[in-house]
Amino acid sequence: MKKRILLKLLISLTLLISANLPLLSQSDSLCDKIDRIFAPYHNEMPGVAVAVSFNGKVLYNKAFGLSNLELTVPNTTQTIFECGSVSKQFTAAAVMLLIQEGKISLDDDVRKYIPELPVYDQIITIRHLLSHTSGLKDWGALYSLTGWPRTTRAYTQSLSADIVFRQKSLNFTPGSRYSYSNSNYVMLVQIAERVSGMSLADFTSERIFKPLGMSKTQWRDDYNEIVPGRSVAYTLKNGMFFQDMPFENVYGPGGLLTTTEDLLKWNRELESGVLFTDSIAKLRITPGNLTDGSSSGYAAGLIIGDLNGYKEISHSGSTAGYRAWLAWYPEKRLSVAILSNYALFSPVSAGRDIASVFLGTPQGSEKIIQTVQNTKPMLVEVKSLKDYTGKYYSCDIDVIYEIDVFENGLRIYRMAGDTFKLKAVDVDEFLSSNNGRYRFKRDKRGRVTGFTVSVSRAENVPFERVVK
């Protein structure tokens, strides 16, 4: 009798193992393919942590490279990284919780909560902020025009808001265009904190991180704070590694410290709906529409697109030397979380390479080759260049530019040791390779009275000539 029972158990066990062999070998094959993506990363350089969840189970969870080059500490699956703009979906989630509670509405005028914001020709709504359709100029782009781009000085939350409040104009009419701007999420932090009566850190900890078991996630609202287990971020210059840390206290658009494990827990919310009602959960992944009826492609801190024919809900992140990618593919119940402390790492490319292991690649896809036409700067006679010389002041960013003639163009002095050249590209229009496009304006007598400068995410920032 006992022999029969043992024989049955043995047969059952053999059948069970045999039934799972294809699954086990398939998993091993998938993991091997992911391993090959990260083969270049070794323990003499910064690296990356990667976690993949498939059909509700963590299939892949590894780390590569060093967390600290000076102390030769390796990255692990528990290492804490900064996730850059992946943070935006958490700020958006805090706002969505307040909408769910009826404390605010998507179509509320932002000035209802932030009266410091200037009055523009058309109101900006919370919906505009969430979907990057407000027209607000990016606070970091504005500060770059002062000669102090991000990571070159310690910016605070109040400074990031203050420069937004100084702007007399927008990039465009609210709702008419999509333009990614961190200022939108600085404003959303203001709203969340004023309406909830709590700091964003406390509100998200109580309402999001703790309920979901995200025990290693917090906001970087004080860059001097000691965070055990945090990696140091690096970049590469002339073949050598250098630290590249975000020395700023701005949070909301970025600034979230987390692990790949915690990000997978967060992504499960897109499937489980623990925190949100069905209607709010749907709003979180519904892109805002523009006034012409087209989609912005951007929802509540999430980019809605597709990869290889599958829906992709994702966001990338980049702050100083940190890089990040978080994506969810609902049809396959696939989550990909990547965090890196290396500025030269490409998280979007790596993330989609991983996703393609599971989703396959499209058949017969065509390569799209983009061509860029290089416009040669036109030469302007030296005597006409003298029209532009002098000092100019912008009250929008509180900085003085001094312009003089240099070789066949103009040179701008912004502050000690900070100069750059402008080359003419059209009548009264000049271009700097790294500092934007300059359009000069004249009065009725033809005298140059000022100019506007446009850079990525901040258009037509005004300067007026300083009259002696």
Side-chain angles (χ1 to χ4, degrees):
M1 186 70 177
K2 288 183 179 179
K3 288 182 179 180
R4 288 181 182 178
I5 294 172
L6 287 171
L7 183 60
K8 286 181 179 179
L9 286 172
L10 183 60
I11 292 170
S12 298
L13 184 60
T14 303
L15 290 171
L16 182 63
I17 292 172
S18 300
N20 282 280
L21 275 175
L23 179 62
L24 290 171
S25 64
Q26 183 186 23
S27 297
D28 289 342
S29 174
L30 293 172
C31 291
D32 289 342
K33 289 179 181 178
I34 299 173
D35 280 341
R36 286 195 287 272
I37 295 171
F38 298 97
Y41 294 89
H42 51 78
N43 282 343
E44 292 182 0
M45 63 181 296
V48 57
V50 189
V52 180
S53 173
F54 185 55
N55 283 330
K57 294 182 179 180
V58 177
L59 184 68
Y60 191 92
N61 190 17
K62 292 186 181 182
F64 306 86
L66 294 178
S67 168
N68 187 303
L69 298 184
E70 291 176 314
L71 303 177
T72 60
V73 177
N75 281 317
T76 73
T77 57
Q78 297 300 306
T79 298
I80 294 171
F81 300 80
E82 188 159 331
C83 67
S85 288
V86 171
S87 311
K88 285 182 172 67
Q89 58 198 278
F90 295 91
T91 301
V95 171
M96 299 305 281
L97 285 171
L98 294 172
I99 292 172
Q100 183 169 278
E101 294 168 0
K103 294 181 178 178
I104 59 177
S105 172
L106 271 176
D107 295 311
D108 281 346
D109 184 343
V110 171
R111 294 192 72 257
K112 177 180 178 181
Y113 309 100
I114 311 176
E116 302 98 313
L117 197 66
V119 177
Y120 299 113
D121 292 339
Q122 186 172 317
I123 68 168
I124 297 172
T125 67
I126 293 174
R127 191 189 300 271
H128 290 143
L129 297 180
L130 286 166
S131 59
H132 291 296
T133 57
S134 70
L136 288 174
K137 298 172 185 177
D138 183 89
W139 75 267
L142 291 166
Y143 274 122
S144 72
L145 289 171
T146 70
W148 293 100
R150 291 173 62 188
T151 74
T152 60
R153 59 169 291 189
Y155 285 111
T156 64
Q157 195 76 358
S158 58
L159 281 172
S160 68
D162 179 67
I163 200 165
V164 178
F165 298 153
R166 296 172 69 99
Q167 302 310 302
K168 299 178 183 64
S169 65
L170 301 169
N171 283 339
F172 50 82
T173 302
S176 65
R177 283 169 48 192
Y178 165 85
S179 179
Y180 192 88
S181 172
N182 287 297
S183 297
N184 292 310
Y185 278 73
V186 169
M187 295 298 102
L188 287 171
V189 172
Q190 296 266 339
I191 293 170
E193 292 186 336
R194 292 179 184 187
V195 173
S196 70
M198 302 169 66
S199 69
L200 183 68
D202 288 343
F203 185 83
T204 50
S205 176
E206 182 179 308
R207 301 292 302 277
I208 298 174
F209 305 150
K210 288 180 181 177
L212 297 180
M214 298 173 65
S215 59
K216 293 200 171 184
T217 299
Q218 68 181 78
W219 291 98
R220 188 259 301 125
D221 49 13
D222 181 356
Y223 70 81
N224 289 306
E225 181 182 352
I226 302 298
V227 180
R230 174 169 50 177
S231 65
V232 176
Y234 300 91
T235 191
L236 189 69
K237 298 176 183 177
N238 299 320
M240 297 179 64
F241 292 111
F242 290 86
Q243 286 190 17
D244 188 8
M245 292 293 287
F247 297 115
E248 63 183 38
N249 292 331
V250 181
Y251 57 91
L256 193 74
L257 303 175
T258 190
T259 64
T260 51
E261 181 180 308
D262 275 9
L263 288 179
L264 288 187
K265 291 177 181 178
W266 168 244
N267 248 16
R268 288 186 203 126
E269 173 61 27
L270 288 168
E271 183 176 18
S272 64
V274 172
L275 300 178
F276 302 100
T277 62
D278 289 346
S279 60
I280 297 298
K282 185 177 180 180
L283 275 175
R284 283 189 64 218
I285 58 173
T286 301
N289 285 331
L290 304 179
T291 49
D292 65 3
S294 63
S295 173
S296 68
Y298 199 98
L302 294 163
I303 297 171
I304 313 301
D306 66 81
L307 178 68
N308 301 349
Y310 293 91
K311 186 173 184 179
E312 180 184 75
I313 301 169
S314 66
H315 212 294
S316 63
S318 172
T319 302
Y322 290 109
R323 299 292 181 267
W325 171 254
L326 182 62
W328 167 245
Y329 304 90
E331 290 99 329
K332 288 286 190 177
R333 297 180 64 206
L334 172 67
S335 275
V336 180
I338 302 178
L339 295 169
S340 174
N341 61 331
Y342 185 33
L344 272 61
F345 174 73
S346 177
V348 178
S349 176
R352 287 179 173 156
D353 284 347
I354 292 172
S356 293
V357 170
F358 298 85
L359 307 179
T361 54
Q363 297 298 314
S365 59
E366 296 180 2
K367 283 189 176 181
I368 299 174
I369 302 173
Q370 294 183 336
T371 58
V372 179
Q373 292 184 344
N374 294 319
T375 303
K376 291 184 178 181
M378 62 181 288
L379 296 179
V380 178
E381 293 182 13
V382 174
K383 68 174 184 179
S384 67
L385 289 175
K386 292 180 181 179
D387 291 350
Y388 306 102
T389 61
K391 290 184 177 180
Y392 300 81
Y393 173 72
S394 173
C395 61
D396 285 34
I397 56 176
D398 192 24
V399 69
I400 291 177
Y401 282 11
E402 186 172 355
I403 299 178
D404 68 6
V405 176
F406 182 76
E407 296 176 346
N408 291 321
L410 300 174
R411 178 171 53 185
I412 289 182
Y413 293 83
R414 195 157 48 188
M415 59 185 179
D418 181 22
T419 66
F420 55 91
K421 301 173 186 176
L422 300 180
K423 290 291 184 181
V425 293
D426 206 340
V427 177
D428 288 338
E429 190 168 332
F430 291 76
L431 187 66
S432 164
S433 57
N434 296 312
N435 293 282
R437 184 175 290 268
Y438 294 72
R439 293 184 175 91
F440 287 84
K441 59 182 181 179
R442 298 175 183 266
D443 61 17
K444 293 179 180 179
R445 295 184 179 181
R447 293 176 299 190
V448 174
T449 59
F451 64 85
T452 61
V453 56
S454 295
V455 292
S456 175
R457 304 183 185 178
E459 300 174 19
N460 300 317
V461 178
F463 282 73
E464 298 295 330
R465 184 188 284 275
V466 177
V467 181
K468 295 180 181 179

